[in-house]
Amino acid sequence: MSRFRLPGKGRVNHAETVRFSFDGKAYEGLRGDTVASALLAHGIHLMGRSFKYHRPRGPVTADSAEPNALIGTSRGPGRFEPNTRATVQELRQGLECESQNRLGSLAFDLGAVNDALHPLFPAGFYYKTFMWPRSFWDRLYEPIIRRAAGLGRAPSEVDPDIYASRYLHTDLLVVGAGPSGLMAALVAARAGARVTLVDENPEMGGAILSDPGVGIDGQPAWDWLAQTLEELASLGVRLMTRTTAIGYYHQNMIGLCEKITDHLDTIPDGAPRERMWRVRATRVVLAQGALEKPLVFHGNDRPGVMLAGAAQSYLHRWGVRVGDRAVIVTSHDSAYFTAFDLAEAGTKVVAIIDTREAPPEALRAEARARGIELLAGHTVTGTKGRLRVASVTVNPVEAGRIGDPRMLHCDCLLMSGGWTPSLHLFSHTKASLAWDEQSRTFLPGRMTEECHIAGAGRGLWGYLDALSDGAEAGAAAARALGQEAEAPTPAVAHDRAGTGESHKELPTDRTSSRVRAFIDFQNDVTAKDIRLAVREGMRSIEHVKRYTTNGMATDQGKMSSINGLMIAADAVGKAPPEVGLTTFRPPYTPTTFGAFAGYHKGATFEVTRATPIDGWAEENGAVYEPVSLWRRAWYFPQGGEDMDRAVARECRATREGVGIFDASTLGKIEVAGPDAVEFMNRMYTNPWTKLAPGRCRYGVLLGEDGYIRDDGVIGRLGPDLFHVTTTTGGAARVLNMMEDYLQTEWPDLDVWLTSTTEQWATVALNGPKARKVLEGLVEGADMSAEAMPHMSVAECRVAGFKARLFRLSFTGELGFEINVPARHGRALWEALMQAGQPHGICAYGTETMHVLRAEKGFIIIGQDTDGTVAPEDAGLGWAIGKKKPDFVGKRSLARPDLVAEGRKQLVGLLTEDGHVKLEEGAQIVFDPDQPKPMKMVGHVTSSYHSATLGRSIAMALIEGGRDRMGETVHVPMPDGVVRAKVTSTAFYDPDGDRLKL
Amino acid sequence: MMTSQTHDFAADAGARVRVEALAPVARFSLRVRQQGRAALGRALGLDLPERVGEVARAGERAVLCLGPDEWLIHAPEAETDAIAAAGAEVYAEAPHALVELSDREVSFAITGPAAAELLSIGCPRDLGRLAPGRAVRTVFDSAQVVLWRDGAEAFRVDVWRSFAPHVGALLDAGRAEIAAGL
Amino acid sequence: MLLIHCPYCDETLPEAEFAYAGEAHIIRPADPSTLTDEEWRDFLFIRSNARGPHYERWRHVHGCARFFNAVRDTVSDRFLLTYKAGEKRPDLASLGVAE
């Protein structure tokens, strides 16, 4: 039995030992322990080192607000986590923990040299020190800062855990299962509401867990708790423990992070480590209680100095006395109960130091009765002890004068500076806080959401008030939900109500420069730092925070914000509400990336769309590239080919014989209805009226601003029916744009749009032998050049499947695109491969497609255009239906900007040295000898090596490009300037003879 | 066709939720103005419901109102041509768009006491408010789906073909999680 | 994530089913060719950028697929009203908002 553990006490299971290690040393704890309670049971307070000064630190809390006791935890490869709060991490068999932020051992930390040098590290140290000389930055300052930055060590392996997420809809969400939250849930559930009750702790009860002596409704508090939880369960209330409400968003959406496996000895198969819940609640009750404030005095950070409420929790929840000799220093009644409970448990309470002159008589009497010395109207001016507090210096304060010191020996110093309502979630809603001068704290002000605050969050103290207020909140919520509800008044025995006073620093007789009274323990921010920041001109609390780093530690100011504000307000000479609190932002406590990512890792990181032919590509060694959400076959290397060789082979095979390409990702929209042609005339630049059924046309779609948005070949299948194709990436956008015009501008048109992108699998067949491959498979259509000329479409059967057969070409070769119902896509592909075998058919990927189209000067939307390119700029003026009265973007083609001289125009570029391939995106200048910065006149949009032409080719947008044919432009690159000649974009077969097969 | 497994009913007996990839059916999108609704209904042998989310059934044909002028028809595959022909017959009288989508989408069945729970991993709607017999277009994770509630513990999800592997993988992950019981 | 009432579905539904679609009540001129460059520029680019109630369009893109109109307060991010496309622009007074 550990020396500080009380046999049979607490809510831990004394019958079950749990083994764990801390810094390599083996320890035993009990089931139900946290790392902190288990170490404290062994008398260990020293658990970490502070960030800046490497000062020894022990736990100051027993909960999630802990700033000091941060540890690394591990359960095997990939499962190391730094900055875990020892006060929250539950023991599990074999848990390995290590302390952080030390050079050497925890007891002998070389980094503690910073502490001796502390006068060198004032507030704003970083801003002041690393400014000059400039040349020191790269070689000295940055490496030093990088080495010192961050707490703990980052895990280096892939996290093997699963993370989950859920949506949840509930009538009432109650956050916090202390006395108020329990009552709120109970009253609302009894009234018939669907209730969800969450608490970040492993068990529900909140303060009740630390106050077993209280009686509720005639029962000991813990019996009442057990009975209440049973009733809640029987009423169907969803009870969620280890679940933290991390953020409160619009319209009562609350984010919950549920910890599922961190406390388990082994991880069950398929069990997620954490689950993020997105809860939508009709009403919310926030019953998050209050956070105890540390007192600010010299040496308040020594291990063994902790919050009085924490000591009380260790005693009652885990059966652990935090020391043998305790001194209490308080400005609030609540710490008296800690003193009394500890005394009863066998700890010698040396004295209660009350900063108030006249504590309540009842408490004085009880202290007297227990033989505890009470020093009212006293202050603490210092502590001593290297790795653990050993003594406290206390002085009387009379009329502001500090009297003679007295030293009290102790091994723990338990402090209470009063309580701050925990209103973090409430603040996430942009609700306002109201300063209450009497309690000198912020209380809930104006609300923005449908929520109720109950209990200590409203500054109420004591069980009767907390239970009653919770009941009221639950009843109010139920009534808002349309239920009838009444709030019962509970009966409370041995209540622990109380009041207190609020302080800035405690009065001291030390010279101010020698006082090291900590506010933000983790970041080593002292009261002096705050005052210095104000002296140096910081007036806003937000500036003070950033200058001093107060509140920027992992506890996000839970321990430090309010004390920092009190001191800053005093230094500025204003009332605290005028200085204001810093903004609370989600998450409430540190939350893993895994919980936010949920299922979005590995194979389900994001949607990966694959075509019906993707399986063939995979089996045939395709290398893929992502195109919007699709994965597309990029090229098909054979026998160890690299990309360049594979693409060159695919290009040659297509130009010389026949190539086959999976074009299924192309967007497809069925435009159908009596007004289909009118709609097409209004949407696309081209004229459609005279396009006969059975024919198709290249269409250009503009935005209303006149810039090219999309393009594609559009077939007319009947008088009232068009088969529109869009770019792969533009499919959804184009349909949305069309629907927008149709629904809101032209609702009178009788035409309907349906996405058929995934109804059809599309296979492109290109090359002089394309018809030979295809014709044997086609039924119901005449494949002759006369019956099916270039740019025609037929409905027929191909390889036995119902098909829409287009004759078109994106390569400049004789080309067909065959659409069949998607489920037959692969069968069609394989039939074509088989039919093509005698003709040397070659599968090609998107890279070859890009090269072949570039050789012809065909543009790719989004590559050769960028949202500022008008049709004329891209050389597509021919596609404008100039006689049409209107179409989307037509008026903009006459905008002053679009008719101005010198617009960038799409041209071809041939480098002087055909072996040199330009970089896509490279900037172009006319004069390479001009001084820098040079005037950039355009950029390279597409650039490839063309196997067909035996040299590199490129396309570029260049100012006034089409008037510069034959001129030389210059492309400055890091290793020299590349010279290139401006040409037409039609590099290959400019007259289109190859289409006339 | 997709990575999701079809689960053997017997092997899964007692499981809290089952996920099955369903066999293909004939699917059509029907778009028609209010004045043509009755004519199309007669032609298709279905009373086109008027409110979004409502489903009407006749024999093995089901029609779901997806939007004010949009319906989704499911029918046995053998009826594909008959449905197309029935629409064409009344086109002059009631202009409309009847587009076959049998291959655009695939469907999963999700059944069992934990069916709604499984869907809550990706569907932000309050499924408690989707009454049995109704169906809606909504989202599951980043995929658009049509979600049919056939019974208290029976759902179907229609999803575009290329999104199906993603949806299937998520449903599998959720199923494993529910099986783990944590 | 917001909740949005779709006036066509007559249901309040999660924002994930919806897409924002810009300012509302900007009507495409019947004959753009009659507009001056300045008028056309204003139609294309000039928006109210309201601080407070803002008339805007949304689309229930993953639901009934309809575009509709809304009044949303850009400060509080709250919807004051949603209504069908083509319906009259409601005045703010009728929504209990001072103009």
Side-chain angles (χ1 to χ4, degrees), chain A residues 280 448 704 736 740 743, chain C residues 1 28 57 59 67 78:
Chain A
R280 184 72 72 174
T448 61
E704 202 67 270
N736 189 70
D740 192 348
Q743 289 183 31
Chain C
M1 191 167 71
R28 188 176 192 272
R57 307 183 323 133
R59 185 180 182 204
F67 284 84
R78 286 188 178 273

Side-chain angles (χ1 to χ4, degrees), chain A residues 446-501:
Chain A
R446 183 183 51 83
M447 302 209 182
T448 61
E449 294 286 343
E450 306 290 335
C451 74
H452 313 259
I453 318 288
R458 294 210 300 125
L460 301 172
W461 202 248
Y463 285 90
L464 179 61
D465 283 3
L467 291 161
S468 307
D469 198 47
E472 288 292 349
R479 284 192 294 267
L481 290 162
Q483 323 265 14
E484 279 178 36
E486 287 208 23
T489 308
V492 174
H494 316 295
D495 201 354
R496 290 183 157 185
T499 59
E501 275 179 12

Side-chain angles (χ1 to χ4, degrees), chain A residues 167 169 249-253 278 280 430 448-450 682 704-707 732 735-737 739-741 743-746 885-896, chain C residues 1-4 12 14-16 19 21 26-38 40 43-45 57 59 61 64-68 75-79 85:
Chain A
Y167 290 95
H169 301 263
Y249 307 92
H250 283 299
Q251 289 165 289
N252 278 357
M253 167 152 274
R278 291 167 177 85
R280 184 72 72 174
K430 284 194 156 184
T448 61
E449 294 286 343
E450 306 290 335
R682 294 189 196 184
E704 202 67 270
D705 54 14
Y707 297 130
L735 181 58
N736 189 70
M737 177 178 164
E739 277 288 348
D740 192 348
Y741 277 93
Q743 289 183 31
T744 66
E745 300 293 350
W746 312 317
D886 191 17
F887 54 81
V888 173
K890 181 172 198 281
R891 173 63 184 84
S892 284
L893 299 181
R895 278 166 53 201
Chain C
M1 191 167 71
L2 301 173
L3 288 172
I4 301 174
T12 300
E15 185 187 342
I26 294 171
I27 298 155
R28 188 176 192 272
D31 184 359
S33 69
T34 61
L35 269 62
T36 65
D37 284 339
E38 288 68 29
W40 184 247
F43 162 73
L44 283 180
F45 303 121
R57 307 183 323 133
R59 185 180 182 204
V61 60
C64 69
R66 292 288 104 186
F67 284 84
F68 60 89
V75 177
S76 67
D77 212 5
R78 286 188 178 273
F79 285 88

Side-chain angles (χ1 to χ4, degrees), chain A residues 21-24 70-85 89 92 94-102 150-161 163 259 261-262 267 273-274 591-594 601:
Chain A
S21 71
F22 180 60
D23 282 342
L70 300 186
I71 54 173
T73 60
S74 177
R75 75 186 319 170
R79 292 192 164 108
F80 174 81
E81 185 169 271
N83 299 328
T84 305
R85 289 147 294 165
Q89 174 65 51
R92 59 179 183 240
L95 171 68
E96 292 169 26
C97 326
E98 62 178 45
S99 58
Q100 302 187 155
N101 210 45
R102 56 186 162 79
L151 270 176
R153 71 190 159 86
S156 55
E157 290 152 308
V158 173
D159 181 353
D161 275 314
Y163 295 85
K259 290 188 182 298
T261 61
D262 273 3
I267 302 170
R273 178 178 177 224
E274 294 176 352
T591 306
T592 64
F593 283 118
K601 56 180 278 191

Side-chain angles (χ1 to χ4, degrees), chain A residues 382-427:
Chain A
T383 64
K384 286 210 169 76
R386 194 172 84 83
L387 298 174
R388 174 83 178 262
V389 65
S391 69
V392 185
T393 307
V394 302
N395 310 53
V397 183
E398 272 175 59
R401 280 196 50 248
I402 312 290
D404 292 337
R406 182 180 151 193
M407 187 180 280
L408 303 173
H409 291 278
C410 64
D411 62 1
C412 59
L413 172 58
L414 311 178
M415 58 184 169
S416 179
W419 299 77
T420 306
S422 187
L423 294 169
H424 299 69
L425 254 63
F426 181 69
S427 301

Side-chain angles (χ1 to χ4, degrees), chain B:
Chain B
M1 180 183 72
M2 63 186 73
T3 57
S4 166
Q5 301 118 20
T6 301
H7 296 283
D8 177 21
F9 192 90
D12 261 3
R16 295 187 57 227
V17 61
R18 284 185 306 275
V19 179
E20 294 168 81
L22 295 174
V25 294
R27 304 166 201 262
F28 284 86
S29 165
L30 171 65
R31 305 288 302 275
V32 64
R33 286 187 190 273
Q34 182 61 27
Q35 51 268 38
R37 197 168 65 86
L40 263 298
R42 274 194 306 278
L44 298 170
L46 286 160
D47 193 10
L48 303 184
E50 244 180 306
R51 287 184 52 81
V52 174
E54 286 179 357
V55 179
R57 291 184 170 79
E60 288 187 80
R61 288 186 190 177
V63 60
L64 159 65
C65 181
L66 282 176
D69 68 348
E70 183 179 3
W71 289 265
L72 174 67
I73 298 163
H74 278 197
E77 285 217 287
E79 297 179 17
T80 308
D81 292 343
I83 288 172
E89 203 146 300
V90 293
Y91 183 79
E93 172 195 349
H96 65 273
L98 183 64
V99 180
E100 193 198 338
L101 301 170
S102 307
D103 286 50
R104 187 179 78 171
E105 286 153 31
V106 296
S107 300
F108 295 98
I110 294 134
T111 51
E117 186 185 346
L118 176 56
L119 286 166
S120 79
I121 72 171
C123 183
R125 281 219 184 197
D126 184 354
L127 298 175
R129 284 164 53 192
L130 180 64
R134 293 174 64 84
V136 287
R137 187 155 50 198
T138 179
V139 291
F140 182 83
D141 194 63
S142 42
Q144 177 178 295
V145 298
V146 173
L147 178 64
W148 304 71
R149 185 163 205 172
D150 298 325
E153 297 181 355
F155 294 86
R156 264 177 302 137
V157 171
D158 301 343
V159 57
W160 283 20
R161 177 175 289 267
S162 70
F163 289 85
H166 182 78
V167 169
L170 285 178
L171 290 172
D172 270 352
R175 207 171 38 81
E177 191 185 313
I178 287 168
L182 284 173

